[in-house]
Amino acid sequence: MKKNMKGILKLVMAGTLALSLAACGNNGGGTTGTNNGTDKANEGSTGGKKENITITFQNIYPDPTDPKNIIMKKIVKAYEDENPNVKIELDSLNTDQQKVKLKTQAASREVPDITVVNPAAQMKPFVDAKLFAPLNDMLDQNGLKDTFQEGILDFYSFDNNIYALPDGNNIGLVYYNKELFEQAGVKVPTTFEEMVDVVKALKAKGIQPMAIGEKDSWTGSFLFMNVLLRTNGPGFLQEVLDGKKTFEDPAFKEAADAFQNLIQAGAFQEGATSFDYNAGENLFKTGKAAMYYMGSWATGGIETSTINGKAGVFKFPTVNGKGDPNEFMLAPGSAFAISADSKHLPETKDFLNYFMINFPKETFSAKGAVGLAQKVEGDFKAAGYSDMAMEVLDMFKDVKGGDIAFDNTMNPATAQAHLTSIQNLFVKKNDAANVAKEHQTAYESNK
C-alpha cells in the first residue's frame, strides 16, 4: 500500500509539535469519575448484569520501569475497577517476540482480543485475511477519533476502514550521555565520519560507544535506513518499488559500507544480537553506553532513568557529505488492533476506547508524551519535562521530510530477508555488493 510521504510529514509536523493542544479530556477522558460508556459493558441485552469475561491484551510494554508499562497497568486497573465483571489479561512481550507470536496465532486464527501491529505493509496481510475488526464505530464513541493527529490514522486504514489505533508518531535520533562524552573528551559529531572517530575515542577510554538491542532485528534496520536516507535522500524504497532503482544502486552499497564501518570500529556491545530491545536500551539508561540511536519514543524511559539530566540528543549526521540532518526516519507507531473473532467484541471495543481516551492524559502526567499519535493537553516545560525532552520536541519542528521503516514499506518476505541481512552484519562483515545482491534477490523473489 503506497502512502504519500507528504502526508506523514504533515502529521509529524502538526499535532506532535504543539505543547498545548485541544484537550483530550474534552471528549470524556480521565480515569477518575468517568465511565466512557462502560455502563454498556456491565449490562446484558436485557439490562441484567453480564457474566464475568476476560479480555486478552497483547502489548509491547514488557519493561516494568518504562512509563508506558506503568501507564498501561494504571488504565487497566481503573477500567477493571469500573467494570468488575471484566478482567484484562496482559500478554506483555518485546517487539520481535510479539511479531513472531502473532504470526503463529494468525495462522490458526487465534488472534488475541487486542494485539499490536505496525502500519501499512506490515499489517496489510492481516487485514487481507480478515483477522481484524474495523474500528470506525468505536472511534466515534466519546469523540476518540478527534484525539488523533490529522492524517495519522491513514497508515492503519484500508478500503475506508480503520483497523488499528497507534500509540506513537516519532522520529529517529541519537541520544548521548554528556558525562561520558566529557570523560572521553569528545564532542557531538556533525558527520558520520566524526561519529566513527567518536566511537574509536570512547572505546580507547574504555567506554562502550553505542548500545543496541539487535536480537530484535528491526533496531539495526532502523539505524541502517537512516544511513541510506543520507546516501540516497528520501524515497529509495519507493524508487525500487516503482522500478526506477534496484538494491544494487551505488547509494545502497555506499550505505552498507558506511554502516559496516561503524560496526567494525567497535560501536556496539559484544554479542549485540543477543540483547533484545529492552536489554540494549537499558545499557544506555544505566550509563553503560555513551550513545543510543532510537525513535523519540525512548525519551520517556530515558527521562525516568538513572541518567536523567545527563542525556542529550542530536540529529543523525551527514554521510560522506551527503544528506540533510533535517530529514529523519519517520515512525508512525505500533498500533492496537482487535480480533475480528473476539468472543467479546463489544466489550473489547469498549475497553480499547477507554484505554485510548485516557492514554494521552496519563502519558503526559508520566512524562512519556513525547511522540504520541494523539493530541496532548498541557505545557511540557511547566510539567517538569527535562531539557532533553524539550530538545526532542524542538527537533520535530525541524523535520523537512524523511522515510518510513523498511518493513513498513516492503512486503513481509522481502522485509524479513532485509532484517536478516542487516542483522548478520553485526556478526560478520560482508561485501557491500553481496549485501545489495541479497536484498535484490529477495525482492525479485517476493514481488
Side-chain angles (χ1 to χ4, degrees), residues 130-183:
K130 302 188 184 305
L131 291 169
F132 296 152
L135 303 180
N136 301 47
D137 57 340
M138 191 199 80
L139 279 159
D140 290 334
Q141 182 184 345
N142 300 314
L144 178 59
K145 187 174 184 179
D146 293 334
T147 72
F148 286 91
Q149 296 170 20
E150 182 182 355
I152 187 70
L153 294 177
D154 291 348
F155 292 90
Y156 312 86
S157 302
F158 299 82
D159 298 325
N160 299 315
N161 284 314
I162 299 167
Y163 288 95
L165 305 182
D167 63 355
N169 178 31
N170 290 273
I171 55 175
L173 42 82
V174 186
Y175 298 90
Y176 75 105
N177 187 312
K178 296 178 181 179
E179 194 173 81
L180 295 181
F181 266 47
E182 288 176 8
Q183 288 178 20

Side-chain angles (χ1 to χ4, degrees), residues 222-298:
F222 195 47
L223 175 54
F224 170 78
M225 289 300 294
N226 211 144
V227 180
L228 179 60
L229 176 60
R230 295 291 178 264
T231 59
N232 183 82
F236 178 84
L237 295 182
Q238 191 58 56
E239 289 175 304
V240 172
L241 289 169
D242 293 341
K244 297 176 181 178
K245 286 189 176 181
T246 73
F247 284 102
E248 295 179 287
D249 186 87
F252 188 88
K253 293 177 184 178
E254 183 180 7
D257 271 332
F259 186 69
Q260 291 189 93
N261 286 342
L262 188 66
I263 295 173
Q264 295 299 315
F268 303 102
Q269 74 273 17
E270 188 174 347
T273 57
S274 65
F275 285 71
D276 66 15
Y277 171 83
N278 290 314
E281 184 167 290
N282 282 335
L283 287 177
F284 182 76
K285 287 163 62 175
T286 55
K288 296 176 182 175
M291 289 183 284
Y292 180 51
Y293 175 82
M294 191 44 61
S296 50
W297 61 77

